Amino acid sequence: MRNEDRELPPCSDTGHGMSTGAGADVQRRLELLVRDFRSSHPPMPVVVLHTRNGDAPDAAAGRDGTNTTVATGTDAEQQVVRLVEELYAGHDAHGSRCAVAPTVLEGATEVRRAAGLVRHLGDPLRWNSRRAGYRRYSFPRVRLVGAIEDAVRELDPDWPRSPASTGFSQGLPDPAQSLLDQLARQRWRPRGSSRWSDRLHLFDMAHILPVSLVAVFGALATRADWSIALISGLGFLLLLVLLDNVLPGRAPLFLWLRRESRWFLTTTFLRAASPGRPTDFSLVRPVRSWNAIAARAHEVAEALKTGDDFQLQLYVLALCEDLRDNHRRWSWDLRGFKRPRPPVLFVPRASAGNGGIELIKAVSDVRSRRSELDPLLLVASVRAADVERLQRSSVQDAGTAPWTWYQEWGRNLRAGQSPSRALAELPWVIKVPLRADRLVVADEARRQCVRATTRPTVARLVWSVHTLALVTVLIATGTALHARELADRYCSSSLLSANRDTVRLRAPGASEPECIGIAAGDVRFSDWLKEDEQAPGPGRLPWTLEQLEKSIRKENAKVLRDNPDNYVTVVYAGPLSTSPRERTSPVKGIEELAGVHLAQAVINKRRSTGLRVLIANGGVDMRHQKAMAESIARYARRDPTLVGVVGAGRDLTTSTDTAIILADAGLPVVSGTNSARFLPRERANWFSLAAPDDWQIEQLGLIARQLRTPQTTQYALVLARDTRNSDDRYTNEQAAFSNKMLAREDYEVLPERRYAVRSGRAELEAQTEEICQGPRVPSVIYFAGRVEDVGPLMSQLNTEQGCAGRNISVLTGDDLSKADFTPQGGEGMPANVTLYHASLARLAAQGATSFYRDAENHLPGPDGRRDWAGPGSAVLASGQTALAHDATRALHEAAGVGDQAQSRAATWVNLRTVVLPNMATGTIDFTGSRPRRPRSGHSIVLNRVRSGPDGTPVRRALCARAAGDVRPLTVAECSIRR
């Protein structure tokens, strides 16, 4: 026995064994062919089985003496038919896609009956198998040919009235156009289709769905919300379905992309279209491809009208091409690897009456004309009388070994297709005569059955529906986790991407994250604030953060539209977050941002170099300003129009790192409210409008000097916030400089005391008790704390025994300029306590600057009033808006020298030449500043706050200097006796 025989194991299911020896021989040969098909695509023959002429019809006994039934005469032919049926049952049980040729009696000629037979084979249900492991076949090419044939039948019987090449008579319709109209009515599908997708006209979803998915992924790539992306994809899907199905009298939308259309245009089998009409196909040229399809359809329809062999051979070609495509290995689903057994077509009674003989001939002829191999294995039986109709064939003796006749046929196939032998042979047909003694029916126990290996292919295991479902679940889970990670890390994200200019950060001990970074995309910091946090403090601010962001975006769009070649970009960096736990407020950032926007509106209206403003958030109390600076620096690398930063108004331990990061990016910083002494001295890119802490406290020394009673021992004390668990540097500088100032003014300075802040509330009870109950009660307290801690301090000094009956003066720095001492603000002031504090901005007189008029024109006033702005306006009293306005004007002045936008390096250099008179706080003059040296001419106001006759706090400015005024303040000017 040959080795290849031993590779075929016997079937486990003997019920599908062959009842005759000839059947066992044929089954073995076919299974060997199936085995080879698993690893390669060998040529598939047309196997024609018949009884051998000349066999004696006498009865013959079994060779082994067993009881047998002898096949004789007509019984032998019936036995051959039964053999084919047994082969069908065996292949069906082994998992092959099998079909039995239907009996088609329609058609006047044998050729037409054969064509109808092939058309019926285009129904996927005819190729169903009980054990086939992959999805059904599809036959789009056979269906396309059937659609054209049906369209011709629906037209007038004498269609076409005249050939397309000879022109048309007046009043007669264009035959090509009438054909296309009929095909459009059929949706280019056969008549009477039973497929649900045809009835619902959803057969183009293979192209509509991918296009809709592209729309979904495109929306996700723009960081749209997943719901918006889904809605856009569904909307696009419905639009395409509407265009593809609802509009009457037209071809399907993606007809030129269908695989049957591509085959229709690219196969060399079909005759050329009419001269002068396009015949080429292109994925990116739908109109030209459609014209080529129309030309080819008309040409094929004319050929089908004639009813010659072309119709049958075109159907056979379409069937073979569909089967080849169904077994194409390197397809998207690797279906060729998942179908290790070839399709088998059985024709048990091939004859002239049912078109089987012509089908066999057509298959051989088509294969001889085309260059590709198809996987169809055709097994037929014919009567001995019909063998003469298949004379052009290879004749093999079935008495030889089962592998011999296939190998001999394969060796002769190449020569058999030669044109010189075309009239002598059907090269693709193997005619196998069966001896009568081999058609003897054996006992049931002696039935033989072999089967090629049935192990699943690797593609079946790896690239299957279950694997696809698993991969889809994994991808979906990974995408969801990735989207969750992006959502947890970035302020604006989608399933696939995120705006990386802003990140979500959580401060130590904070319950909610903050949105930190530069809002260069679709991020709006107002979205992270509650409605009551947009403009905190009843009556304090007439504008909200959302209004400012919207106005700045509108102004930016105007700059990019009207002045795209001559503009600069400035970033405002400030605290635009809030923490309910710590009872913090974004009012400082909102006030400063209003000043930046006001400067932007004025500049864009009066200057030729436009100003674009971006907003950056450093978090509550600017605790994340280093991360904010890194975000600004990254953005600066891709936007050369960014020339500098305005803001950064908190003095923290991270301020030096922030300045270094911005300096490395080439960005100067103009700060309106950061009073750090060290920043202008240590960092060359730092320009500050705020008076430094040491100079402020020196001016407050004028007040402390007047509070000192000569020739007596008078105690003073510094009460400071505990900064051990925070990055607050302002408090430490205030405490250090104030201790020196009080000692210099000849006070008996008591040991410094620190108070803690928990959950946003100052814990001053223990400190005030020690201060007020001891033998040395201070008459002057320097409060080195924050504005939010003043209220608890005043309450304790008013109620603590030992301090309630004493006159106590509290001195503090510029942070108290943000306090709201109006009745709406709710800040109280005990009758025995007088508060003295510094402010950073002495607002210019009404007629000395256009700042107030500009504010009324570009910022909303309280309750909609238009005459609200002035030096005494409560909205502008803190000076935050004025300082931010002046800082922005100064930075733009350096960036727009000569009415032409400057680079950021030039802006940095030009800042030391800026002189701007008549600003909101006076004259902004940087000409006297030198790198790493302090400058003079800062604006300052010394204020006094004490309880009025009705108990309402009254604030009064004792003395002031406008920016640019270098004259020193004197005790006489700052007299507390007035």
Side-chain angles (χ1 to χ4, degrees):
M1 181 178 293
R2 295 172 58 95
N3 290 334
E4 59 184 1
D5 287 342
R6 289 196 294 268
E7 293 178 9
L8 296 180
C11 299
S12 59
D13 186 359
T14 58
H16 297 120
M18 304 303 296
S19 62
T20 64
D25 292 340
V26 174
Q27 186 191 51
R28 182 176 299 277
R29 177 61 260 174
L30 296 182
E31 289 294 329
L32 287 172
L33 194 58
V34 170
R35 181 203 62 184
D36 295 339
F37 182 81
R38 186 182 183 94
S39 58
S40 62
H41 278 173
M44 289 294 168
V46 177
V47 180
V48 177
L49 307 177
H50 63 92
T51 58
R52 188 164 60 175
N53 292 329
D55 278 353
D58 299 334
R63 297 179 180 180
D64 55 359
T66 59
N67 294 328
T68 59
T69 301
V70 180
T72 61
T74 305
D75 292 338
E77 292 183 347
Q78 292 297 326
Q79 195 64 34
V80 173
V81 173
R82 182 182 177 186
L83 186 152
V84 173
E85 292 174 347
E86 288 180 348
L87 288 173
Y88 166 73
H91 277 272
D92 182 66
H94 296 168
S96 296
R97 289 281 182 186
C98 303
V100 177
T103 301
V104 179
L105 300 178
E106 300 176 0
T109 65
E110 186 178 353
V111 171
R112 286 190 177 273
R113 288 193 291 272
L117 186 153
V118 179
R119 173 169 176 165
H120 281 281
L121 291 174
D123 185 356
L125 295 178
R126 292 192 174 273
W127 295 85
N128 272 353
S129 177
R130 292 172 296 171
R131 300 187 182 181
Y134 197 53
R135 57 187 173 88
R136 290 177 179 174
Y137 285 153
S138 61
F139 297 93
R141 295 163 185 83
V142 175
R143 292 164 60 80
L144 175 60
V145 177
I148 298 176
E149 182 183 16
D150 287 346
V152 172
R153 290 176 181 174
E154 293 292 330
L155 297 173
D156 292 338
D158 57 346
W159 182 93
R161 289 189 176 90
S162 57
S165 59
T166 61
F168 307 101
S169 302
Q170 184 69 26
L172 293 178
D174 184 341
Q177 186 60 48
S178 61
L179 173 68
L180 295 178
D181 292 342
Q182 179 59 36
L183 285 171
R185 286 190 290 271
Q186 296 177 200
R187 305 296 298 170
W188 288 72
R189 294 299 183 190
R191 283 286 191 180
S193 176
S194 60
R195 294 175 58 185
W196 68 270
S197 60
D198 289 346
R199 293 196 298 269
L200 297 178
H201 301 311
L202 296 177
F203 39 76
D204 247 7
M205 296 302 287
H207 301 101
I208 292 176
L209 278 176
V211 174
S212 302
L213 288 176
V214 169
V216 172
F217 285 116
L220 291 176
T222 60
R223 292 189 297 277
D225 187 75
W226 69 268
S227 58
I228 301 299
L230 182 61
I231 291 173
S232 64
L234 290 177
F236 200 65
L237 174 66
L238 293 176
L239 176 63
L240 292 179
V241 171
L242 179 69
L243 294 176
D244 190 62
N245 295 284
V246 176
L247 297 181
R250 61 175 305 280
L253 187 63
F254 294 102
L255 177 65
W256 96 99
L257 291 179
R258 292 180 180 174
R259 49 184 171 171
E260 62 267 32
S261 299
R262 296 197 299 270
W263 165 80
F264 200 49
L265 294 179
T266 56
T267 179
T268 58
F269 185 86
L270 297 175
R271 284 182 273 177
S274 301
R277 304 190 72 172
T279 60
D280 57 334
F281 165 78
S282 174
L283 288 173
V284 296
R285 302 181 70 177
V287 176
R288 186 174 182 86
S289 300
W290 162 246
N291 291 334
I293 293 173
R296 182 60 54 85
H298 180 258
E299 184 73 17
V300 170
E302 287 184 328
L304 292 176
K305 186 72 173 179
T306 63
D308 56 8
D309 290 346
F310 173 78
Q311 179 186 23
L312 173 58
Q313 292 194 4
L314 182 58
Y315 266 119
V316 170
L317 174 66
L319 177 67
C320 293
E321 186 64 25
D322 280 332
L323 290 174
R324 190 171 76 91
D325 186 51
N326 281 303
H327 281 267
R328 186 158 54 91
R329 293 190 172 185
W330 299 112
S331 55
W332 70 270
D333 57 350
L334 303 180
R335 50 185 174 267
F337 290 104
K338 300 175 185 178
R339 290 168 171 156
R341 300 179 66 89
V344 188
L345 173 61
F346 294 93
V347 188
R349 295 178 178 85
S351 64
N354 60 19
I357 299 295
E358 289 299 324
L359 171 62
I360 294 171
K361 292 180 180 180
V363 170
S364 181
D365 291 342
V366 167
R367 286 177 170 176
S368 298
R369 293 178 58 181
R370 64 201 300 264
S371 59
E372 298 89 355
L373 294 175
D374 62 79
L376 176 63
L377 176 60
L378 194 153
V379 180
S381 67
V382 298
R383 296 180 303 172
D386 291 332
V387 173
E388 294 181 356
R389 299 174 61 87
L390 295 170
Q391 287 301 317
R392 294 186 292 128
S393 63
S394 301
V395 179
Q396 305 295 337
D397 188 353
T400 60
W403 57 86
T404 305
W405 47 267
Y406 177 78
Q407 290 180 340
E408 291 179 0
W409 169 80
R411 286 194 294 267
N412 296 327
L413 178 62
R414 186 174 301 173
Q417 297 182 88
S418 301
S420 62
R421 302 183 63 182
L423 297 178
E425 296 181 356
L426 291 175
W428 286 85
V429 175
I430 301 178
K431 187 160 63 75
V432 182
L434 303 175
R435 297 200 317 260
D437 62 333
R438 299 291 292 170
L439 292 174
V440 175
V441 178
D443 292 339
E444 190 71 24
R446 296 176 57 85
R447 286 177 177 257
Q448 303 179 43
C449 180
V450 293
R451 179 180 183 180
T453 179
T454 59
R455 66 180 184 276
T457 62
V458 175
R460 182 72 178 278
L461 296 175
V462 175
W463 189 246
S464 64
V465 174
H466 301 88
T467 304
L468 180 62
L470 177 61
V471 171
T472 302
V473 170
L474 292 177
I475 291 177
T477 304
T479 301
L481 292 176
H482 179 62
R484 178 68 177 270
E485 180 183 0
L486 292 178
D488 290 341
R489 185 174 181 182
Y490 299 102
C491 302
S492 175
S493 64
S494 65
L495 287 176
L496 304 177
S497 62
N499 180 347
R500 299 176 185 269
D501 292 318
T502 50
V503 295
R504 293 161 57 107
L505 295 178
R506 185 180 280 105
S511 58
E512 295 295 330
E514 303 172 56
C515 185
I516 305 300
I518 180 172
D522 56 351
V523 176
R524 302 292 174 262
F525 294 119
S526 57
D527 295 339
W528 294 74
L529 297 180
K530 298 179 182 178
E531 186 174 354
D532 58 346
E533 296 169 346
Q534 293 280 337
R540 176 72 184 273
L541 296 179
W543 51 75
T544 66
L545 178 57
E546 182 180 9
Q547 289 175 328
L548 293 176
E549 286 185 314
K550 188 177 297 184
S551 298
I552 290 173
R553 287 174 58 195
K554 187 180 299 184
E555 198 70 31
N556 290 342
K558 181 180 178 182
V559 169
L560 296 177
R561 182 184 68 246
D562 299 339
N563 204 9
D565 299 324
N566 188 25
Y567 74 92
V568 294
T569 302
V570 167
V571 175
Y572 165 71
L576 295 173
S577 297
T578 184
S579 173
R581 177 177 176 273
E582 300 181 19
R583 297 179 175 84
T584 56
S585 167
V587 62
K588 170 182 171 65
I590 296 175
E591 285 184 322
E592 289 183 332
L593 186 59
V596 174
H597 171 54
L598 175 58
Q600 179 192 27
V602 172
I603 289 168
N604 289 335
K605 185 176 182 180
R606 301 175 186 172
R607 298 290 298 273
S608 58
T609 301
L611 177 61
R612 174 171 164 257
V613 173
L614 297 179
I615 307 172
N617 181 25
V620 173
D621 290 336
M622 296 292 285
R623 286 180 299 199
H624 298 297
Q625 66 172 348
K626 185 177 178 180
M628 175 197 68
E630 292 171 346
S631 175
I632 296 173
R634 285 193 300 269
Y635 177 80
R637 286 194 288 269
R638 66 178 191 266
D639 187 356
T641 68
L642 180 56
V643 295
V645 176
V646 172
R650 296 285 288 197
D651 180 10
L652 306 174
T653 56
T654 56
S655 295
T656 300
D657 293 335
T658 298
I660 292 174
I661 292 170
L662 296 176
D664 291 341
L667 295 171
V669 182
V670 182
S671 178
T673 59
N674 195 323
S675 58
R677 173 178 178 269
F678 64 95
L679 284 173
R681 296 173 182 240
E682 296 179 1
R683 310 311 315 167
N685 67 320
W686 196 275
F687 299 82
S688 182
L689 302 186
D693 293 324
D694 57 339
W695 189 75
Q696 284 186 49
I697 294 175
E698 183 179 338
Q699 310 311 306
L700 285 170
L702 300 175
I703 305 298
R705 192 175 307 164
Q706 299 178 62
L707 296 173
R708 176 76 173 90
T709 302
Q711 308 302 322
T712 61
T713 300
Q714 198 165 345
Y715 298 104
L717 175 139
V718 174
L719 178 61
R721 180 185 271 204
D722 188 354
T723 61
R724 286 177 297 180
N725 297 322
S726 72
D727 55 359
D728 184 5
R729 189 166 179 172
Y730 169 83
T731 296
N732 294 334
E733 288 195 346
Q734 288 275 315
F737 295 137
S738 58
N739 271 304
K740 294 179 181 179
M741 181 271 292
L742 292 173
R744 188 170 56 248
E745 297 299 333
D746 202 22
Y747 283 89
E748 185 71 27
V749 182
L750 300 175
E752 180 181 307
R753 295 187 180 277
R754 296 275 177 161
Y755 65 92
V757 178
R758 290 184 176 85
S759 300
R761 184 177 297 277
E763 296 184 346
L764 291 161
E765 291 83 356
Q767 285 74 15
T768 53
E769 182 179 354
E770 292 178 6
I771 293 172
C772 298
Q773 297 298 329
R776 299 179 296 178
V777 178
S779 61
V780 175
I781 298 175
Y782 191 94
F783 182 66
R786 293 293 186 178
V787 60
E788 55 266 22
D789 303 337
V790 170
L793 174 63
M794 295 296 136
S795 176
Q796 290 298 121
L797 293 178
N798 186 40
T799 59
E800 189 64 45
Q801 186 179 2
C803 289
R806 294 175 179 270
N807 291 325
I808 298 177
S809 298
V810 177
L811 278 63
T812 187
D814 61 86
D815 202 58
L816 264 291
S817 60
K818 297 180 291 185
D820 186 4
F821 291 106
T822 63
Q824 295 84 0
E827 296 285 2
M829 181 62 60
N832 65 314
V833 179
T834 303
L835 176 67
Y836 298 92
H837 73 90
S839 294
L840 296 176
R842 178 189 183 275
L843 298 182
Q846 184 78 35
T849 179
S850 62
F851 170 75
Y852 307 111
R853 183 174 65 254
D854 295 336
E856 290 178 351
N857 292 333
H858 298 288
L859 294 177
D863 302 324
R865 290 187 289 112
R866 299 291 298 172
D867 56 346
W868 59 275
S873 170
V875 177
L876 305 175
S878 68
Q880 308 283 325
T881 302
L883 287 167
H885 167 272
D886 289 0
T888 307
R889 293 288 299 270
L891 184 55
H892 181 270
E893 183 71 15
V897 175
D899 291 331
Q900 186 62 42
Q902 305 291 303
S903 67
R904 66 182 62 144
T907 301
W908 187 341
V909 173
N910 294 338
L911 270 170
R912 302 199 184 278
T913 65
V914 168
V915 179
L916 283 177
N918 301 323
M919 290 291 100
T921 60
T923 299
I924 307 303
D925 186 357
F926 289 142
T927 58
S929 64
R930 294 292 180 266
R932 306 185 188 280
R933 293 184 182 180
R935 73 178 184 91
S936 58
H938 296 286
S939 174
I940 193 171
V941 180
L942 299 184
N943 300 284
R944 180 181 65 196
V945 183
R946 59 186 178 186
S947 180
D950 58 353
T952 302
V954 177
R955 185 185 344 224
R956 180 176 183 273
L958 299 178
C959 55
R961 284 286 183 266
D965 189 346
V966 297
R967 295 175 300 159
L969 289 172
T970 63
V971 172
E973 285 182 282
C974 303
S975 174
I976 63 175
R977 311 300 176 192
R978 295 200 297 267

